[in-house]
């Protein structure tokens, strides 16, 4: 019987050890994020190296069992005298969280009950004594009430803890009875049979001696589920009819040690997350820490850190927006730093101011009608809303003139020559169609595309050499008179 229980205890313990830590075997690779992760890139698999706490322990101890509810008891005010047996236990403990763990426990002991110790002779003909040798294996849940109920502002040293235990298992026993005629075996229950199931529950106190060792004491109440455990004989024997209960139950008071396994300083059951959080908050509250900004500096000294500056070569003195891009209030392609007419669009060659009108010959000059400065987004031929006032002025200007005009489209140098040629033609035709739709005669206007061969800023070849505002100015449409 002893060998059978030991084999089963080992069989229960080995799978538990195998799956002691979280596993990532459900995925095909160790790369994160994956299907089973939260999707955040700032995560990693839980491994032995990432553990902060020990979570395994081995416990052992000894104590005294006292039958309390039976036809023969170990307590004087029951059906017997004060008779003390013995018990011992060993368990493998696994902490699941800081407040809950599991134990696989083996118990062995002997209870003594009745009116005399069976080692002694019967004092008279009517005296009955009994003893029960038992072996048990059980799975116990372990609740750390101290971690559940401890105040978060309790800054005292955490060395005492109250635990609650409960679980079920298999109980095997041999019950002997002795009277004046001698001693005999009254009942025997083999392990792992239907009638061997039992339950136990109780509480205990632990004291942390050091990082490796805990001292613990427990008081457990064992429900055997058998009316023959006390040695009273068969269920309907004369002794077993003294009391109406159908289960012979007993208390088991023990004292033991718990050896915590692992290389870390602290065990999970002695860790209080709330205490740690509040401690860190207190530390941060009392700590003056300088916040480092602009780790990459500000190369163009425009007041916007290079970490989020979209234009790293802003001219000195230029006003910029929140992204570090030089401001161009009138959107004429001349930044405000160089624009002499900040609020009125004008060509670059006139420092951003409108030109006085002349007779149209060669490139069309601008007045307040502003027939230049029609720009486009990158890789687009869509007319931007802010260009419609310019085009509406161009309608009036062209209709009032006797000349015919060519709408010329241009691009920056990004992309291939062939693609830019087609893109410039689409831009020119887009403007031509807009003008015709709004009243310009078809015989007064045509459209051509010059691709990247007609740059307002020739130095922007390649485009990576120039700031974005110059590339945007190269992506334009303008007019020439014939």
């Amino acid at each position: 019987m002893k060998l059978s229980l030991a084999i089963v205890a080992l069989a229960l313990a080995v799978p538990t050890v195998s799956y002691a830590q979280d596993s990532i075997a459900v995925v095909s690779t160790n790369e994160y994020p994956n299907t089973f992760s939260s999707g955040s890139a700032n995560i990693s698999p839980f491994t032995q190296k990432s553990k902060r706490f020990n979570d395994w322990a081995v416990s052992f101890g000894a104590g005294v069992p006292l039958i309390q509810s039976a036809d023969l008891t170990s307590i004087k005010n029951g059906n017997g005298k004060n008779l003390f047996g013995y018990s011992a236990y060993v368990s493998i403990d696994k902490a699941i969280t800081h407040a809950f763990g599991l134990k696989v426990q083996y118990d062995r002991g002997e209870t003594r009950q009745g009116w005399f110790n069976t080692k002694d002779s019967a004092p008279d003909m009517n005296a009955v004594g009994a003893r029960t040798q038992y072996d048990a294996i059980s799975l116990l849940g372990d609740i750390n009430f101290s971690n559940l109920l401890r105040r978060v502002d309790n800054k005292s040293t955490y060395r005492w803890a109250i635990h609650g235990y409960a679980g079920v298992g298999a109980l095997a026993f041999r019950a002997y009875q002795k009277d004046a005629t001698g001693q005999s075996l009254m009942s025997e229950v083999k392990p792992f049979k239907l009638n061997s199931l039992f339950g136990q529950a109780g509480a205990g106190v632990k004291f942390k001696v050091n990082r490796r060792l805990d001292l613990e004491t427990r008081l457990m109440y064992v429900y055997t589920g058998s009316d023959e455990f006390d040695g009273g004989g068969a269920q309907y024997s004369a002794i077993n009819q003294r009391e109406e209960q159908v289960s012979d139950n007993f208390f088991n008071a023990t004292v033991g040690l718990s050896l915590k396994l692992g290389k870390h300083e602290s065990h999970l059951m002695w860790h209080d997350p709330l205490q740690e959080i509040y401690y860190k908050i207190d530390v941060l509250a009392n700590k003056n820490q300088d916040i480092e900004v602009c780790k990459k500096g500000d190369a163009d000294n425009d007041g916007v850190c290079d970490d989020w500056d979209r234009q790293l070569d802003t001219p000195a003195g230029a006003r910029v927006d929140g992204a570090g891009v030089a401001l161009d209030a009138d959107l004429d392609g001349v930044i405000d730093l160089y624009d002499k007419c900040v609020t009125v669009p004008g060509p670059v060659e006139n420092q951003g101011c409108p030109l006085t009108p002349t007779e149209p010959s060669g490139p069309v000059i601008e007045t307040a009608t502003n027939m230049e400065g029609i720009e486009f987004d990158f890789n687009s031929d869509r007319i931007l809303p802010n260009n419609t006032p310019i085009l509406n002025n161009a309608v009036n200007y062209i209709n009032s003139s006797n000349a015919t005009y060519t709408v010329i489209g241009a691009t920056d140098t990004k992309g291939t020559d062939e693609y830019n040629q087609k893109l410039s033609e689409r831009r020119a035709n887009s403007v031509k169609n807009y003008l015709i739709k709004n009243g310009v005669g078809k015989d007064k206007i045509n459209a051509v595309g010059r691709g990247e061969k007609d740059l307002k800023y020739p130095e922007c070849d390649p485009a990576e050499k120039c700031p974005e505002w110059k590339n945007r100015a190269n992506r334009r449409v303008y007019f020439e008179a014939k």
Side-chain angles (χ1 to χ4, degrees), residues 62-70 72-75 77 83-88 107-113 132 134 198-203 218-224 229 247-254:
V64 177
L66 295 171
I67 291 186
Q68 170 267 337
S69 174
L72 293 174
T73 68
S74 309
I75 301 174
N77 61 355
L83 300 175
F84 303 103
Y86 67 88
S87 67
D107 289 271
R108 177 173 175 78
E110 179 179 287
T111 63
R112 295 168 183 169
Q113 55 274 356
T132 304
Y134 67 89
F198 83 106
Q200 60 176 324
R218 303 182 197 170
L219 180 62
M220 304 294 291
Y221 189 73
V222 181
Y223 180 88
T224 68
F229 182 84
S247 175
D248 298 335
N249 306 328
F250 64 91
F251 288 104
N252 191 17
T254 60

Side-chain angles (χ1 to χ4, degrees), residues 24-317:
I24 57 172
V26 293
V27 295
S28 57
T29 68
N30 290 333
E31 297 179 359
Y32 279 68
N34 56 40
T35 305
F36 302 97
S37 73
S38 64
S40 169
N42 189 27
I43 58 176
S44 60
F46 183 72
T47 63
Q48 290 289 339
K49 291 184 179 180
S50 62
K51 286 174 58 177
R52 291 179 54 200
F53 308 104
N54 300 323
D55 50 11
W56 285 96
V58 175
S59 300
F60 51 89
V64 177
L66 295 171
I67 291 186
Q68 170 267 337
S69 174
D71 299 286
L72 293 174
T73 68
S74 309
I75 301 174
K76 187 173 183 179
N77 61 355
N79 295 313
K81 298 177 63 176
N82 291 333
L83 300 175
F84 303 103
Y86 67 88
S87 67
Y89 71 88
V90 60
S91 68
I92 299 175
D93 311 333
K94 164 68 174 175
I96 308 300
T97 71
H98 69 289
F100 179 74
L102 292 175
K103 295 175 178 287
V104 177
Q105 180 168 301
Y106 171 72
D107 289 271
R108 177 173 175 78
E110 179 179 287
T111 63
R112 295 168 183 169
Q113 55 274 356
W115 300 101
F116 65 93
N117 194 323
T118 55
K119 292 182 178 181
D120 303 328
S121 300
D124 56 60
M125 291 297 296
N126 297 321
V128 177
R131 64 187 176 92
T132 304
Q133 296 175 342
Y134 67 89
D135 296 271
I137 185 168
S138 56
L139 178 65
L140 297 175
D142 178 1
I143 298 178
N144 187 343
F145 287 107
S146 293
N147 262 345
L148 288 177
L149 304 177
R150 193 166 187 241
R151 287 172 56 100
V152 295
D153 58 351
N154 186 349
K155 294 181 172 58
S156 61
T157 304
Y158 187 20
R159 303 195 70 174
W160 292 93
I162 299 174
H163 287 247
Y165 309 98
V168 295
L171 175 69
F173 64 87
R174 295 167 61 91
Y176 299 88
Q177 186 184 118
K178 186 176 183 179
D179 55 20
T181 62
Q183 179 175 271
S184 60
L185 175 65
M186 303 301 294
S187 302
E188 182 177 9
V189 172
K190 298 292 185 180
F192 308 112
K193 302 295 184 180
L194 183 61
N195 61 345
S196 70
L197 293 176
F198 83 106
Q200 60 176 324
V205 176
K206 281 191 175 185
F207 175 73
K208 183 168 67 174
V209 179
N210 53 43
R211 61 180 290 266
R212 285 294 182 198
L213 202 62
D214 291 344
L215 177 65
E216 63 177 343
T217 178
R218 303 182 197 170
L219 180 62
M220 304 294 291
Y221 189 73
V222 181
Y223 180 88
T224 68
S226 172
D227 196 18
E228 301 178 10
F229 182 84
D230 62 351
Q235 184 176 2
Y236 298 106
S237 66
I239 292 179
N240 271 340
Q241 292 182 27
R242 294 179 180 180
E243 301 292 339
E244 295 181 355
Q245 89 288 331
V246 295
S247 175
D248 298 335
N249 306 328
F250 64 91
F251 288 104
N252 191 17
T254 60
V255 175
L257 294 174
S258 182
L259 179 63
K260 293 168 284 190
L261 308 177
K263 63 182 180 179
H264 301 285
E265 286 295 321
S266 179
H267 191 273
L268 183 56
M269 277 287 192
W270 287 105
H271 174 65
D272 185 354
L274 284 177
Q275 289 291 114
E276 182 180 26
I277 291 172
Y278 274 76
Y279 171 76
K280 290 182 177 180
I281 291 175
D282 290 342
V283 170
L284 291 174
N286 296 323
K287 183 177 181 181
N288 294 324
Q289 183 175 2
D290 294 332
I291 300 175
E292 184 179 1
V293 296
C294 276
K295 291 184 179 180
K296 295 182 180 179
D298 182 10
D300 52 9
N301 200 30
D302 62 355
V304 179
C305 297
D306 291 350
D307 303 69
W308 52 83
D309 196 335
R310 293 176 56 192
Q311 183 178 319
L312 296 175
D313 58 350
T314 305

Side-chain angles (χ1 to χ4, degrees), residues 402-425:
N402 294 325
T404 58
Y405 296 87
T406 300
V407 180
I408 300 172
T411 69
D412 58 22
T413 58
K414 297 178 182 178
T416 64
D417 292 347
E418 181 181 0
Y419 177 81
N420 285 333
Q421 178 61 36
K422 292 180 179 179
L423 179 60
S424 66
E425 292 172 1

